[in-house]
């Protein structure tokens, strides 16, 4: 059975204009799926959509939407009408690097909206329809940052823990309804956003950043086999150390010290 035969004809990717989201769009189009691509930057999204449609000969519908808005789900419904979504990737995320109190509360609430509340709404709507049809697949992008607290990345890390635990719970609930759910816990990935933060190397333990395509291909191979996974052998090793070898306090201190060094944070 091919990927398309297993899941259906149309995939939705939220956060699709570049980086991991764009890599998902390419990978799913290469598997023959038509696409609904969601992002907030109109010109970049439309250019990416046109490129993929031409390259793979699939239909691509760009939907310009700021997923930080409270009515983002309704905007998406208005844009796509009754188009069925057979496979969904929620890749969109906001983050703030720095001391928690050095930015306003609205920064943290926007992170919560994009990273938790909007995907909750999309899972309820699109996941519910998949469960009714008895067929579908869902990827929630999480992060190894969500396996322990992380100073200077506190809100983002907490939302990524939420994503992983949510996906694991829905994997169990929907596994007998024909809907595969997986949390992809990525580490540092060479996306434009990551590169633009200009990070230093945190420690000798830090794995080399993966390419977006590596993360995506591993996820699309693993969906249907496990509720969550850590992408990349280097990230698996570091996570094993943090979760099973280091005491919890040491894990939190190690990760937080790494963030402080990586981004040259001075309090």
């Amino acid at each position: 059975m091919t990927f398309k035969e297993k899941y259906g004809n149309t995939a939705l990717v939220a956060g699709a204009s570049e980086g991991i989201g764009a890599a998902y769009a390419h990978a799913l189009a290469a598997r023959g799926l038509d696409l609904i691509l969601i992002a907030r930057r109109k010109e970049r999204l439309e250019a990416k959509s046109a490129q993929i449609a031409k390259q793979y000969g699939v239909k691509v519908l760009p939907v310009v939407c700021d997923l930080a808005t409270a009515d983002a789900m309704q905007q998406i419904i208005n844009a796509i009408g009754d188009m069925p979504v057979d496979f969904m990737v929620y890749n969109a995320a906001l983050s703030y690097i720095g001391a928690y109190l050095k930015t306003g509360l609205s920064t943290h609430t926007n992170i919560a909206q994009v990273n938790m509340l909007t995907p909750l709404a999309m899972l309820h709507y699109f996941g519910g329809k998949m469960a009714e049809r008895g067929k579908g697949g869902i990827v929630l992008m999480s992060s190894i940052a969500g396996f322990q607290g992380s100073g200077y990345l506190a809100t983002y890390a907490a939302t990524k823990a939420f994503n992983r635990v949510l996906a694991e719970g829905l994997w169990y609930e929907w596994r007998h309804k024909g809907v595969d759910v997986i949390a992809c816990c990525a580490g540092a990935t060479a996306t434009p956003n990551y590169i633009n933060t200009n990070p230093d190397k945190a420690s000798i333990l830090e794995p080399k950043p993966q390419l977006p395509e590596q993360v995506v291909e591993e996820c699309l191979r693993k969906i249907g086999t496990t509720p969550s996974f850590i992408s990349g052998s280097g990230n698996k090793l570091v996570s094993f150390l943090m979760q099973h070898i280091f005491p919890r306090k040491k894990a939190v201190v190690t990760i937080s010290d790494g963030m402080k060094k990586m981004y040259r944070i001075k309090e």
Side-chain angles (χ1 to χ4, degrees):
M1 184 182 294
T2 67
F3 191 94
K4 185 175 181 179
E5 289 169 342
K6 182 175 183 180
Y7 291 112
N9 297 319
T10 305
L12 180 152
V13 182
S17 60
E18 64 182 24
I20 293 175
Y24 272 113
H26 279 276
L28 292 166
R31 287 162 169 79
L33 279 72
D34 294 329
L35 299 175
I36 300 165
L37 302 183
I38 301 174
R40 60 185 173 82
R41 290 174 289 190
K42 184 174 187 290
E43 290 184 4
R44 186 167 295 182
L45 176 64
E46 290 181 345
K48 177 58 64 177
S49 298
Q51 176 201 353
I52 291 174
K54 181 178 180 180
Q55 183 173 348
Y56 300 100
V58 298
K59 297 176 184 176
V60 183
L61 174 65
V63 176
V64 179
C65 178
D66 183 352
L67 296 169
T69 58
D71 67 340
M73 183 68 247
Q74 189 58 53
Q75 291 180 48
I76 294 166
I77 294 171
N78 293 344
I80 71 173
D82 58 0
M83 288 178 63
V85 171
D86 304 300
F87 194 90
M88 185 182 101
V89 177
Y90 196 90
N91 171 73
L94 285 181
S95 66
Y96 165 73
I97 299 169
Y100 181 82
L101 294 176
K102 286 288 181 71
T103 187
L105 177 61
S106 62
T107 298
H108 301 291
T109 56
N110 282 343
I111 292 171
Q113 181 70 51
V114 173
N115 298 8
M116 297 191 297
L117 299 183
T118 297
L120 273 177
M122 293 179 69
L123 282 163
H124 199 274
Y125 183 80
F126 294 118
K129 290 183 178 298
M130 291 178 194
E132 288 175 4
R133 293 194 298 268
K135 184 176 183 179
I138 295 171
V139 174
L140 287 184
M141 286 304 299
S142 183
S143 170
I144 61 171
F147 282 88
Q148 67 284 302
S150 177
Y152 313 111
L153 199 65
T155 302
Y156 173 84
T159 64
K160 291 296 142 177
F162 176 91
N163 294 152
R164 175 174 54 86
V165 174
L166 176 63
E168 290 173 346
L170 294 179
W171 167 85
Y172 180 86
E173 288 191 32
W174 294 347
R175 61 184 176 152
H176 298 308
K177 297 180 183 293
V179 181
D180 291 333
V181 183
I182 194 168
C184 173
C185 304
T189 309
T191 65
N193 278 342
Y194 176 78
I195 293 167
N196 288 341
T197 64
N198 191 30
D200 291 335
K201 190 170 179 64
S203 75
I204 59 172
L205 292 175
E206 183 187 348
K208 180 181 177 182
Q210 287 190 283
L211 297 175
E213 294 76 14
Q214 292 174 313
V215 176
V216 167
E217 288 301 327
E218 186 176 2
C219 183
L220 296 182
R221 287 195 307 269
K222 286 186 177 293
I223 188 169
T225 68
T226 184
S228 64
F229 77 101
I230 295 168
S231 176
S233 58
N235 294 320
K236 289 179 177 68
L237 175 60
V238 170
S239 184
F240 179 82
L241 290 173
M242 297 298 166
Q243 301 306 308
H244 301 288
I245 304 300
F246 290 3
R248 187 73 172 180
K249 179 179 177 180
K250 181 174 177 59
V252 174
V253 169
T254 299
I255 292 294
S256 302
D257 283 349
M259 283 295 300
K260 189 173 185 179
K261 179 179 178 183
M262 186 182 298
Y263 291 105
R264 305 164 294 278
I265 295 170
K266 300 185 185 301
E267 296 187 48

